[in-house]
Amino acid sequence: MGEARCLDNLHVEEEVKLRIQHNTFLDLLKRNGIGYSVIGSYLQRDLIFDFPDMRLLKSDQLLRVRLENNEIILTFKGKREFVGHSKKRIEIEGTIGSESALRALERIGIRVPSLPNDLSGIIRLLARKGLKVILEIVKKRTSLKLNGWNCRVHLDFVESLGEFVEIEGSDGNELVDVLQLSRRVVRKSYAEMLAGFLIEDL
């Protein structure tokens, strides 16, 4: 989930997305004297679910099941608010078996006592509740921690889209300004970019 703050027991994600080559971004950090450490690299496979009427997309919400490091993580994301370069939205997520995963489903009106511990079981459960996979996003992510900045940087290579940089945390807007990257800011999510035809038909 990256950097987030807590508001009324809900996490609020704050993020800036940039369309930029990774080497170009890292060179800008170096030229501005910003050091960093690599947290790790990993593969993420995201399954995006919605109802047949696309009510989640229509209301700028998202339900995602992520496979990462042999874990299954369920996430709900609420409507976005744009502040400067960044977007803010409520985010509830947790690994399967956690209370947070159950609360994520409750946000879209689904209440169950527990969740299956395997992907096929989760897909079947959501199908019984009327949800289906509308999109799959696969990306390789390398995460960085910047020295002296309250943010985390993700270098993403997204299949079919290419290289992006995501900055999560309260210093995202300032970092974009320092690096003079405002023209590289992207408002759309990866899901919207990959499923433009779905969005246009709503």
Side-chain angles (χ1 to χ4, degrees), residues 20-154:
I20 186 171
Q21 296 293 308
H22 297 163
N23 288 340
T24 302
F25 181 82
L26 294 176
D27 184 60
L28 284 171
L29 291 181
K30 182 178 180 180
R31 281 196 271 158
N32 283 273
I34 300 173
Y36 62 87
S37 56
V38 178
I39 299 171
S41 296
Y42 33 91
L43 187 70
Q44 294 178 336
R45 178 186 171 205
D46 294 343
L47 302 179
I48 310 301
F49 288 80
D50 208 336
F51 297 93
D53 61 3
M54 300 294 180
R55 71 187 70 162
L56 298 181
L57 280 177
K58 287 179 180 178
S59 59
D60 193 23
Q61 299 179 86
L62 182 121
L63 183 69
R64 179 184 73 201
V65 173
R66 169 170 288 174
L67 285 77
E68 177 187 319
N69 294 334
N70 297 317
E71 288 188 324
I72 302 174
I73 304 163
L74 196 147
T75 305
F76 165 82
K77 294 192 177 194
K79 186 176 177 64
R80 289 167 292 187
E81 173 191 0
F82 292 100
V83 180
H85 308 303
S86 67
K87 63 181 179 184
K88 296 182 179 182
R89 67 195 310 184
I90 290 172
E91 180 180 78
I92 305 172
E93 76 173 10
T95 54
I96 297 306
S98 69
E99 287 296 321
S100 294
L102 294 175
R103 286 194 293 113
L105 283 180
E106 288 176 1
R107 295 290 293 194
I108 62 168
I110 295 176
R111 290 174 174 80
V112 292
S114 62
L115 288 170
N117 58 10
D118 63 292
L119 180 60
S120 60
I122 293 167
I123 292 173
R124 287 195 300 270
L125 182 147
L126 293 176
R128 290 197 297 270
K129 301 295 183 179
L131 292 121
K132 63 179 180 178
V133 177
I134 62 166
L135 191 64
E136 180 174 348
I137 305 167
V138 179
K139 64 178 176 284
K140 182 179 180 182
R141 167 167 284 186
T142 299
S143 296
L144 314 175
K145 175 62 178 174
L146 303 190
N147 301 337
W149 290 80
N150 185 30
C151 59
R152 182 171 295 185
V153 169
H154 305 298

